[in-house]
Amino acid sequence: LYSVVDGLFVSNLVGDLALSAVNIAFPITMIIGAFGFMLGTGGSAIVGITLGEGDQKKADRYFTLFLLAALVSVSVLAVLGIVFLRPIAVLLGAKGELLDYAVRYGRILMVSLPTFALQNMFQSFFVTAEKPHLGFWFTVGAGCTNMVLDVLMVGIWGWGVEGAAIATFISQLVGGVLPVFY
């Protein structure tokens, strides 16, 4: 959803070259963000089994372990992503202005990866907690936040690819940080 919304606004308001840059940088961030899916899927299975055995305290500890594992591992990978984004984009064929757009967009998304990983994790854990609708609403809220902020940051304020990336970052805060309070 983030890629589609960012792509729609960037292509129509910034240009084709900027859209190409989004399409180069976004998959790189998704590969790292997939750690949240991985830890959420495996972690929710382990937490679910532990809850089924009736050990709430152990399940809570497992949940905390998976949450911290995601934050630490994705943070480390995000730092590496920031460092190696330019050479990776070059390997993918970016050069000149396309490379500049890809790096500017991608580095902001790298900073947002820990919250994105949490958002991915919480989708599985909400199902385990028997609250799948809550996970759905956090996702809808995050998606709507991205759309509204893309209108403002890219469309009205003219912030270009950086605006699209910042809008995505803020929307990932909605999907990844607000569930922590639940």
Side-chain angles (χ1 to χ4, degrees), residues 44 47-48 51 122-132 134 182:
S44 64
V47 168
L51 286 172
F122 284 128
Q123 293 308 305
S124 296
F125 279 112
F126 276 130
V127 173
T128 302
E130 298 177 351
K131 304 282 186 186
L134 190 57
Y182 171 77

Side-chain angles (χ1 to χ4, degrees), residues 19-44:
L19 173 63
S20 297
V22 167
N23 288 325
I24 286 173
F26 202 84
I28 298 166
T29 64
M30 289 297 98
I31 291 168
I32 298 171
F35 278 82
F37 282 119
M38 178 184 69
L39 291 168
T41 303
S44 64

Side-chain angles (χ1 to χ4, degrees), residues 46-48 50-51 55-64:
I46 291 169
V47 168
T50 308
L51 286 172
D55 194 344
Q56 177 73 42
K57 286 187 179 193
K58 189 174 184 182
D60 289 345
R61 286 195 315 272
Y62 281 148
F63 173 76
T64 302

Side-chain angles (χ1 to χ4, degrees), residues 1-15:
L1 182 62
Y2 296 127
S3 175
V4 171
V5 172
D6 284 358
L8 178 69
F9 282 93
V10 167
S11 67
N12 286 303
L13 300 171
V14 183

Side-chain angles (χ1 to χ4, degrees), residues 10 45 48 68 76 88 105 118 120 135 142 151 153-154 161-162 173 175:
V10 167
L68 292 174
V76 168
I88 292 170
Y105 179 81
L118 289 181
N120 294 339
V151 167
M153 294 180 177
V154 180
V161 294
E162 291 91 345
L173 290 171

Side-chain angles (χ1 to χ4, degrees), residues 44-144:
S44 64
I46 291 169
V47 168
I49 290 168
T50 308
L51 286 172
E53 294 169 346
D55 194 344
Q56 177 73 42
K57 286 187 179 193
K58 189 174 184 182
D60 289 345
R61 286 195 315 272
Y62 281 148
F63 173 76
T64 302
L65 172 70
F66 284 106
L67 186 79
L68 292 174
L71 282 174
V72 170
S73 63
V74 172
S75 294
V76 168
L77 291 171
V79 169
L80 291 172
I82 290 168
V83 171
F84 292 108
L85 181 62
R86 180 174 294 276
I88 292 170
V90 168
L91 283 172
L92 294 173
K95 54 187 166 192
E97 190 176 5
L98 175 63
L99 178 61
D100 183 51
Y101 277 137
V103 170
R104 288 174 16 216
Y105 179 81
R107 284 194 173 149
I108 294 170
L109 289 186
M110 289 293 173
V111 173
S112 75
L113 279 175
T115 59
F116 182 62
L118 289 181
Q119 180 180 356
N120 294 339
M121 275 188 65
F122 284 128
Q123 293 308 305
S124 296
F125 279 112
F126 276 130
V127 173
T128 302
E130 298 177 351
K131 304 282 186 186
H133 291 95
L134 190 57
F136 170 76
W137 287 114
F138 274 114
T139 300
V140 169
C144 290

